[in-house]
Amino acid sequence: MLRMDLKGEDLPKYWYNIVSDLPDLPPPIHPATKEPLGPNDFYPLFPKECVNQEFSKERYVAIPEELREFYLRIGRPTPLYRAKRLEEYLGTPAKIYYKREDVSPTGSHKLNTALAQAFYAAKEGLEYLTTETGAGQWGSALSYATMMMGIRALVFMVRISYLQKPYRKLVMRLYGAEVVPSPSDRTEVGRKYLERDPEHPGSLGIAISEAIEAAMKDDKAKYSLGSVLNHVLLHQTIIGLEAKKQFEALGEKPDILIGCVGGGSNFAGFTFPFLEEVLKEKGSYDVVAVEPSAVPSLTDGEYRYDFGDTAGITPLLMMYTLGHDFVPPPIHAGGLRYHGAAPTVSLLKKKGIIRSVKYPQEDVFEAGRIFARTEGIIPAPETNHAIKAAIDEALKAKKDGERKIIAFNFSGHGLLDLKGYEDVLKI
Amino acid sequence: MLRMDLKGEDLPKYWYNIVSDLPDLPPPIHPATKEPLGPNDFYPLFPKECVNQEFSKERYVAIPEELREFYLRIGRPTPLYRAKRLEEYLGTPAKIYYKREDVSPTGSHKLNTALAQAFYAAKEGLEYLTTETGAGQWGSALSYATMMMGIRALVFMVRISYLQKPYRKLVMRLYGAEVVPSPSDRTEVGRKYLERDPEHPGSLGIAISEAIEAAMKDDKAKYSLGSVLNHVLLHQTIIGLEAKKQFEALGEKPDILIGCVGGGSNFAGFTFPFLEEVLKEKGSYDVVAVEPSAVPSLTDGEYRYDFGDTAGITPLLMMYTLGHDFVPPPIHAGGLRYHGAAPTVSLLKKKGIIRSVKYPQEDVFEAGRIFARTEGIIPAPETNHAIKAAIDEALKAKKDGERKIIAFNFSGHGLLDLKGYEDVLKI
């Protein structure tokens, strides 16, 4: 078995809501009053159905039929591959599998939630969604999704990325999104920063503030986030739900599950459906969250309430954090440059249900090169983190002579990140 | 039906060799003697099995079992999509289908022959293949294929592209290929040009000459070509063979078949298996080859013997040509900048079995934008030519009130060609 496909009719009909199995998940709280926040506090900001899902205790949330059509269109169910050539290269007795989230039109898992959010926004009658983007992976996904749902996207893109990484900006514009470099003159926050420095390079924190402000002051718009929140991770569980079916069809059960973590959305999407068994004490998995050494929130952060954004304008979330004022070094894995980790992922780490590891940039790019040279697909810098951990587990299995089954989420391809390979590997 | 998948076991077991149904195909001839050339003339240059296929009269050529595994790996059978959103946008009664050759790791159909050629080269015991590449699409495919087969690639890349289009160069290097800017000091031809001008921008013609020279002077190497020749087009017929099965499964029969033409490989791959019916007078299709207005070899060229390369060192091929010394304008569709067209494709045009159209660059990029905004996939500049023709046929069907079934080959994605969109569409 090189590749395990599912049929279109095997596309999951429900997302798995891990919150239903985490009754002790600390709620978001108000920064001033410290009171728990509820749906009413979020309705002005996010599409209504997303807020309902954010607070839902339902275990299985139905995926609307029309949305499933869009999932089919982007290549879902995505194939599960066996990394036979990588195994042979490593000389390991372990089996390595990877779930290919790179096959979507924007090249990553991000569309799984972008489509859902844009779907609910369009249904609610909104005209557009605002969001922020760093390198542009999330912005591309939301631009695609809003276009498909017949609404628009207003994307605040960190100015330095806007100038230095023009390709994803072009993807967004080709999809009809309005992309503005942040800080911009479109918001009060943006104007404040521009007054101080007309060439301000921007930051994800400022871009979030601008996107929220822009959404709040227009009735026709709401705001969209690409990770961290419960409803975002919920939408991503389609990855793991498919993977479970694929392993069942193979008659195999993974021992080790691996994903890279920035905010936590691809990691959660891949692992939560397996963790359902663990939380119900019906199964056990070694679940590994992989972080960059430069931004090791789960590995070296504190578990406490902190702001979700850098500027400190969001509610407080209970999570592992390096501090909301932590400035992540400019590593190429832009999607992992987040100071915290999703509250659900953080709680699972706190409980010891998952563990985390961290790797320096050079090591993960070298893992990416090995993967490209064996399996033939060029991974995104973020994905290289998961690959590095999978390789290390496979080598451990070799040392121990154990026939482990390792599975990781191949979250995206690196075709628009080739500069990173050039810089780090000097190719 | 949005997407028609085939199962892995439906992957074709044979390629279709149209030469068997074209008994009057003029042979390649020697430039000086004008004598027809045979296999012995080509064995020193190309892998032996490729030469045998070049001259084969067998109708169905078996695809080796091991090679089929590699086809599975790259995403074959590729899906057939219905362009429902494009149809709705155009308000046409026509149905539009497209075959997705963009899903492979290097993003185009080129792997179909690259894998076959590298497979035969490795079997023959060769250590590496040499080739030339312009923008790098073909070079990327051969780099992937040689890596997968455990041999190497030496790619002569036109210097101006090497300098201005670094991304595909990085793809090739990541896959372990040796990429040298051409003209180079590796060959006599190259050194001659470098002596004249150390900053020589290069051309595809010079790069071909260098790749051939490098292959000829090393027993461990042979040369590989990405289009034009019979065996190359043969390997590509897997596209159309799959598409035929998909239309059969749908219970539909296309009226119009469309592909873009540079050398002719993706066009041939998609249409030849359908043309088998035409040549046997068992069916009829309106088959459209789409060219850039800037390089209209089939549309405005002469049908005569001409050199296959620019420098005039190859055998003479009977084909529609603009003259081997024609300098194609620097349009973004680098894959269509070829002065001639494959002898088989040319003969079919001469016989009136296929027809050709040409479009200016602005129109095809606008078609690409429409496609991206409706179907959500960003096409390669080459592919935009096929899309433009499909749109025009759909609009004609609308005017005539005809429920035509239109099918085109979506030969590749444009993620590494976004600069072209920026330049032409001013996005």
Short mmCIF file of all heavy atoms in Angstrom, two decimals, chain A residues 24 37 54 58 62 82 89 98 106 115 150-151 180 192 202 215 230-231 238 262-263 311 325 345 353 363 374:
data_model
loop_
_atom_site.label_atom_id
_atom_site.label_comp_id
_atom_site.label_asym_id
_atom_site.label_seq_id
_atom_site.Cartn_x
_atom_site.Cartn_y
_atom_site.Cartn_z
N ASP A 24 -13.53 20.27 31.83
CA ASP A 24 -12.80 21.22 32.67
C ASP A 24 -12.01 22.26 31.86
O ASP A 24 -11.10 22.88 32.38
CB ASP A 24 -11.86 20.46 33.61
CG ASP A 24 -11.01 19.44 32.86
OD1 ASP A 24 -11.30 19.16 31.66
OD2 ASP A 24 -10.04 18.92 33.44
N LEU A 37 -16.59 34.66 29.54
CA LEU A 37 -17.33 35.23 28.43
C LEU A 37 -18.22 34.16 27.80
O LEU A 37 -17.91 32.97 27.86
CB LEU A 37 -16.35 35.78 27.38
CG LEU A 37 -15.47 36.93 27.89
CD1 LEU A 37 -14.39 37.24 26.85
CD2 LEU A 37 -16.30 38.18 28.18
N GLU A 54 -18.27 27.57 18.81
CA GLU A 54 -17.20 27.87 19.77
C GLU A 54 -17.61 27.43 21.17
O GLU A 54 -16.79 26.97 21.96
CB GLU A 54 -16.90 29.38 19.73
CG GLU A 54 -15.73 29.84 20.58
CD GLU A 54 -14.40 29.32 20.08
OE1 GLU A 54 -14.30 28.99 18.88
OE2 GLU A 54 -13.46 29.23 20.89
N GLU A 58 -21.90 19.85 22.13
CA GLU A 58 -22.28 18.71 21.29
C GLU A 58 -21.02 17.96 20.86
O GLU A 58 -20.03 18.58 20.49
CB GLU A 58 -22.96 19.28 20.04
CG GLU A 58 -24.11 18.50 19.49
CD GLU A 58 -24.64 19.21 18.23
OE1 GLU A 58 -24.54 20.46 18.16
OE2 GLU A 58 -25.10 18.50 17.33
N ALA A 62 -22.73 18.44 12.84
CA ALA A 62 -23.00 18.08 11.44
C ALA A 62 -22.32 19.05 10.47
O ALA A 62 -22.36 20.27 10.66
CB ALA A 62 -24.50 18.07 11.18
N ARG A 82 1.81 6.03 2.48
CA ARG A 82 2.85 5.33 3.24
C ARG A 82 4.20 5.83 2.74
O ARG A 82 4.47 5.81 1.53
CB ARG A 82 2.71 3.82 2.98
CG ARG A 82 3.87 2.99 3.46
CD ARG A 82 3.61 2.29 4.77
NE ARG A 82 4.77 1.51 5.18
CZ ARG A 82 4.93 0.21 4.97
NH1 ARG A 82 3.97 -0.48 4.38
NH2 ARG A 82 6.03 -0.41 5.39
N TYR A 89 15.10 4.62 3.35
CA TYR A 89 16.26 5.50 3.54
C TYR A 89 16.74 5.45 4.98
O TYR A 89 17.94 5.42 5.25
CB TYR A 89 15.87 6.92 3.13
CG TYR A 89 16.91 7.97 3.47
CD1 TYR A 89 17.98 8.21 2.61
CD2 TYR A 89 16.82 8.71 4.64
CE1 TYR A 89 18.94 9.16 2.92
CE2 TYR A 89 17.76 9.67 4.96
CZ TYR A 89 18.83 9.89 4.10
OH TYR A 89 19.77 10.82 4.41
N TYR A 98 1.63 9.41 6.13
CA TYR A 98 1.35 10.84 6.21
C TYR A 98 0.06 11.18 5.48
O TYR A 98 -0.26 10.63 4.44
CB TYR A 98 2.52 11.70 5.71
CG TYR A 98 3.06 11.41 4.33
CD1 TYR A 98 2.76 12.25 3.25
CD2 TYR A 98 3.91 10.33 4.10
CE1 TYR A 98 3.28 12.01 1.98
CE2 TYR A 98 4.43 10.08 2.83
CZ TYR A 98 4.12 10.91 1.79
OH TYR A 98 4.63 10.67 0.53
N THR A 106 -5.04 25.86 -2.35
CA THR A 106 -4.12 26.82 -1.73
C THR A 106 -2.96 26.12 -1.03
O THR A 106 -2.13 26.78 -0.40
CB THR A 106 -4.85 27.78 -0.76
OG1 THR A 106 -5.43 27.03 0.30
CG2 THR A 106 -5.95 28.55 -1.48
N LEU A 115 -13.31 27.54 4.46
CA LEU A 115 -14.55 27.26 3.75
C LEU A 115 -15.74 27.26 4.71
O LEU A 115 -16.81 27.81 4.39
CB LEU A 115 -14.46 25.92 3.02
CG LEU A 115 -13.66 25.94 1.71
CD1 LEU A 115 -13.36 24.52 1.24
CD2 LEU A 115 -14.42 26.71 0.62
N GLY A 150 -19.19 33.47 -2.58
CA GLY A 150 -19.84 34.65 -3.15
C GLY A 150 -19.78 35.88 -2.26
O GLY A 150 -20.56 36.82 -2.43
N ILE A 151 -18.84 35.89 -1.29
CA ILE A 151 -18.64 37.12 -0.52
C ILE A 151 -17.20 37.58 -0.74
O ILE A 151 -16.55 37.11 -1.66
CB ILE A 151 -18.97 36.91 0.99
CG1 ILE A 151 -18.05 35.85 1.62
CG2 ILE A 151 -20.44 36.55 1.15
CD1 ILE A 151 -18.24 35.71 3.13
N VAL A 180 -4.46 44.67 1.96
CA VAL A 180 -3.81 45.94 2.29
C VAL A 180 -2.64 45.67 3.22
O VAL A 180 -2.72 44.84 4.13
CB VAL A 180 -4.80 46.94 2.95
CG1 VAL A 180 -5.88 47.35 1.97
CG2 VAL A 180 -5.43 46.37 4.19
N LYS A 192 -2.46 55.19 13.65
CA LYS A 192 -1.63 55.54 14.79
C LYS A 192 -0.19 55.08 14.56
O LYS A 192 0.76 55.84 14.75
CB LYS A 192 -2.19 54.85 16.05
CG LYS A 192 -1.87 55.54 17.35
CD LYS A 192 -2.48 54.76 18.52
CE LYS A 192 -1.84 53.39 18.70
NZ LYS A 192 -2.49 52.53 19.69
N GLY A 202 5.17 46.55 10.37
CA GLY A 202 3.98 45.82 10.79
C GLY A 202 4.30 44.58 11.60
O GLY A 202 5.46 44.21 11.77
N ALA A 215 -13.74 45.02 11.11
CA ALA A 215 -14.96 44.20 11.18
C ALA A 215 -15.99 44.84 12.11
O ALA A 215 -17.19 44.86 11.83
CB ALA A 215 -14.64 42.79 11.65
N ASN A 230 -11.84 27.24 19.37
CA ASN A 230 -12.47 25.91 19.33
C ASN A 230 -13.12 25.61 17.99
O ASN A 230 -13.00 24.51 17.46
CB ASN A 230 -13.54 25.79 20.42
CG ASN A 230 -12.96 25.91 21.82
OD1 ASN A 230 -11.76 25.71 22.03
ND2 ASN A 230 -13.79 26.28 22.78
N HIS A 231 -13.87 26.60 17.44
CA HIS A 231 -14.60 26.30 16.20
C HIS A 231 -13.65 26.10 15.03
O HIS A 231 -13.94 25.33 14.12
CB HIS A 231 -15.66 27.38 15.90
CG HIS A 231 -15.13 28.72 15.49
ND1 HIS A 231 -14.72 29.68 16.40
CD2 HIS A 231 -14.94 29.28 14.27
CE1 HIS A 231 -14.32 30.76 15.74
NE2 HIS A 231 -14.44 30.55 14.45
N ILE A 238 -11.87 17.22 10.41
CA ILE A 238 -12.16 16.38 9.23
C ILE A 238 -10.90 15.62 8.79
O ILE A 238 -10.99 14.51 8.26
CB ILE A 238 -12.74 17.23 8.07
CG1 ILE A 238 -13.34 16.31 7.01
CG2 ILE A 238 -11.69 18.19 7.49
CD1 ILE A 238 -14.26 17.01 6.05
N GLY A 262 1.55 25.72 15.67
CA GLY A 262 1.70 27.17 15.82
C GLY A 262 0.59 27.57 16.77
O GLY A 262 0.75 27.52 17.98
N GLY A 263 -0.59 27.87 16.22
CA GLY A 263 -1.77 28.02 17.06
C GLY A 263 -2.33 26.66 17.44
O GLY A 263 -2.92 26.49 18.50
N ALA A 311 -1.23 42.59 20.63
CA ALA A 311 -1.55 43.94 21.08
C ALA A 311 -2.36 43.96 22.38
O ALA A 311 -2.46 44.99 23.04
CB ALA A 311 -2.33 44.68 19.98
N ASP A 325 3.57 39.55 24.60
CA ASP A 325 4.52 40.53 24.05
C ASP A 325 5.79 39.87 23.54
O ASP A 325 6.74 40.54 23.15
CB ASP A 325 4.84 41.60 25.11
CG ASP A 325 5.26 40.98 26.43
OD1 ASP A 325 5.24 39.72 26.54
OD2 ASP A 325 5.59 41.73 27.36
N VAL A 345 -5.56 22.42 23.02
CA VAL A 345 -4.25 21.76 22.90
C VAL A 345 -3.45 21.96 24.19
O VAL A 345 -2.82 21.03 24.71
CB VAL A 345 -3.48 22.33 21.69
CG1 VAL A 345 -2.05 21.79 21.64
CG2 VAL A 345 -4.22 22.01 20.38
N ILE A 353 -1.73 14.32 28.30
CA ILE A 353 -2.32 13.46 27.27
C ILE A 353 -1.53 13.56 25.96
O ILE A 353 -1.48 12.63 25.17
CB ILE A 353 -3.81 13.81 27.08
CG1 ILE A 353 -4.58 13.41 28.35
CG2 ILE A 353 -4.41 13.15 25.85
CD1 ILE A 353 -6.01 13.90 28.41
N ASP A 363 17.66 21.92 11.49
CA ASP A 363 17.32 20.49 11.55
C ASP A 363 16.02 20.19 10.81
O ASP A 363 15.90 19.16 10.16
CB ASP A 363 17.18 20.03 13.01
CG ASP A 363 18.51 20.08 13.74
OD1 ASP A 363 19.51 20.54 13.15
OD2 ASP A 363 18.55 19.68 14.92
N THR A 374 13.22 11.63 -0.86
CA THR A 374 12.73 10.25 -0.79
C THR A 374 11.29 10.16 -1.27
O THR A 374 10.97 9.43 -2.20
CB THR A 374 12.84 9.71 0.65
OG1 THR A 374 12.24 10.65 1.56
CG2 THR A 374 14.28 9.49 1.05
#
